[in-house]
Every structure is written in structure tokens, then in C-alpha cells.
Amino acid sequence: AQTVTQSQPEMSVQEAETVTLSCTYDTSESDYYLFWYKQPPSRQMILVIRQEAYKQQNATENRFSVNFQKAAKSFSLKISDSQLGDAAMYFCAYRSVTGNQFYFGTGTSLTVIP
Amino acid sequence: GAVVSQHPSWVICKSGTSVKIECRSLDFQATTMFWYRQFPKQSLMLMATSNEGSKATYEQGVEKDKFLINHASLTLSTLTVTSAHPEDSSFYICSARPPGRVRGNEQFFGPGTRLTVL
């Protein structure tokens, strides 16, 4: 089975600053999807950004961008101009193109300091 | 985006009783739904995959007789925790996958149900 590793259990960032959350994964597949999900205190899982492995270009969604390094199996999330509302648990997830199952990392708790 | 609801959002029950949790896709049909369990400050663990009109597929270590899943329609899946015990207390999250999207399809998550077994 694929494994997803988030080595930073907790991170903090000053409001308006930039923070990068790390994620690595292990797979033998050549095509797959990678996701970052946000889980605020409400516990509702919210999709932040998605990357398709066959695309070399890094995905970007407003203040959120990823650094996808396929050879290194790394998928980090950069949050620019951090806002108080960005405070949440962030989960990195992997999904095979052919499969249904999501493999989640252990999560990174992000604190935004006013 | 697609909306998935769960009911109830919070339930307390006595040990030995059964609890049913509903997961509904409100504006799309979901041939496949997923049930996750999340302990405090931990990640989501997939319990089972629910397919409309067929038996659910359970992950290794999940007792199918304890966690009964029924996906009777394209918009509703239910998870019944039978003979609940305190160790079943957890946060249960469902997600649904819309059909007909070949690449990049994602799962839409419900808001979760907090189960507390006394």
C-alpha cells in the first residue's frame, strides 16, 4: 500500500507571512493524484489543492501553491500571505488513478499568529 | 461544489446499543461512498467502501458485523455501529465520489459525526 508521510506534526506562521508544509509519499505507480485537504476546528474536510502526477506544472490556487517533485516523491504546500482563517489541520493525500482509496498523511497542525 | 451531509452530527449512546449514521449526497448521485474513522488529533482511516446496490468492501481489521454499511440508493449510505462500546467512540466521516469523471475526480466529505459511547 502507498504511504504518505507528513513529518511536521505542528507548524506556526506569523500572519501575512509564508509557510511551507511538507509531504512525502511512497508509490510504485507512475500516474496518480495528490491532494492537500484542510480540516478546520469544525472538522469539515475542505479540498485546498490538487495535483495530477502527469502534469509537470505545479498547481496553484490563489495563495496556495505546491512544489511537486515527482522523482523525489515530494509534494509540499506553500501558503502565502497567511491569514487567521488558515489555521487548521492540513492533510496530504494520495490517490491512485485506478483506485478509489485515499491514503492520508498524519496531518500538520498549522497555527497562525496574529 | 458537491455537498455531502451527515446525520446526526453528534450522538451519545449507552454501551450495548446500536447507532445509525446517515450520509447523503445532496446534489449529485454517488455510486461510491466511503466511511472513515478519525481519532482525536489523528488522521483519517478508511473503514470501508460502500457501493450502491452491492456489499461494502471493508478494510483489513474492520469488523463488518460490527460496522454495518448499507448503500441502498445513489444518494444515501448508512453506517450502523452495532452493540457500541466506549472504544467505538470516535469521529466518523463519510465521503462520496460522483460518477462519470475519468481523471482527477475527488471525494466530497461530509461534516462528520461525533459518536460518544458511555
Side-chain angles (χ1 to χ4, degrees):
Chain A
Q2 283 73 15
T3 57
V4 179
T5 302
Q6 292 179 249
S7 59
Q8 306 155 316
E10 297 179 346
M11 290 283 284
S12 62
V13 62
Q14 205 76 32
E15 192 176 5
E17 296 296 311
T18 296
V19 65
T20 299
L21 308 184
S22 301
C23 173
T24 58
Y25 56 94
D26 185 27
T27 184
S28 58
E29 298 176 328
S30 60
D31 201 9
Y32 44 86
Y33 306 116
L34 296 166
F35 305 84
W36 277 98
Y37 279 90
K38 169 184 177 181
Q39 189 181 41
S42 68
R43 307 292 291 271
Q44 173 74 60
M45 294 286 283
I46 302 166
L47 177 66
V48 174
I49 200 164
R50 170 179 53 213
Q51 176 80 41
E52 292 160 312
Y54 75 93
K55 291 185 177 179
Q56 293 184 340
Q57 187 174 6
N58 289 324
T60 299
E61 288 287 343
N62 301 314
R63 298 183 295 107
F64 299 88
S65 62
V66 299
N67 183 2
F68 173 48
Q69 300 291 326
K70 191 172 184 179
K73 297 179 182 175
S74 171
F75 182 60
S76 60
L77 174 69
K78 185 172 81 171
I79 306 174
S80 304
D81 186 25
S82 298
Q83 300 176 358
L84 295 178
D86 295 333
M89 279 289 288
Y90 286 81
F91 292 99
C92 178
Y94 171 105
R95 186 175 81 78
S96 169
V97 168
T98 56
N100 283 318
Q101 184 173 352
F102 272 49
Y103 295 90
F104 286 92
T106 50
T108 296
S109 177
L110 178 65
T111 300
V112 180
I113 303 167
Chain B
V3 179
V4 175
S5 70
Q6 276 184 247
H7 179 81
S9 57
W10 182 47
V11 57
I12 301 175
C13 70
K14 293 182 178 180
S15 184
T17 61
S18 295
V19 174
K20 180 184 286 188
I21 303 170
E22 294 185 348
C23 177
R24 292 181 185 274
S25 56
L26 298 185
D27 51 3
F28 67 97
Q29 293 182 330
T31 55
T32 305
M33 290 184 172
F34 305 87
W35 287 96
Y36 294 86
R37 184 173 181 176
Q38 185 180 31
F39 290 106
K41 297 186 178 181
Q42 293 189 24
S43 188
L44 282 71
M45 298 300 297
L46 180 67
M47 298 175 65
T49 301
S50 171
N51 298 298
E52 188 269 336
S54 64
K55 292 183 178 180
T57 303
Y58 290 82
E59 295 300 303
Q60 190 173 8
V62 178
E63 299 176 61
K64 61 181 180 182
D65 294 330
K66 181 167 187 62
F67 299 99
L68 300 178
I69 291 173
N70 185 284
H71 194 157
S73 78
L74 286 171
T75 59
L76 174 64
S77 176
T78 60
L79 168 67
T80 301
V81 183
T82 62
S83 186
H85 288 92
E87 56 266 29
D88 299 324
S89 298
S90 188
F91 194 69
Y92 293 88
I93 303 175
C94 75
S95 69
R97 173 183 169 179
R101 297 175 66 178
V102 177
R103 296 189 65 88
N105 51 25
E106 60 186 88
Q107 295 182 17
F108 297 93
F109 288 86
T113 297
R114 181 177 302 281
L115 171 63
T116 301
V117 184
L118 302 177

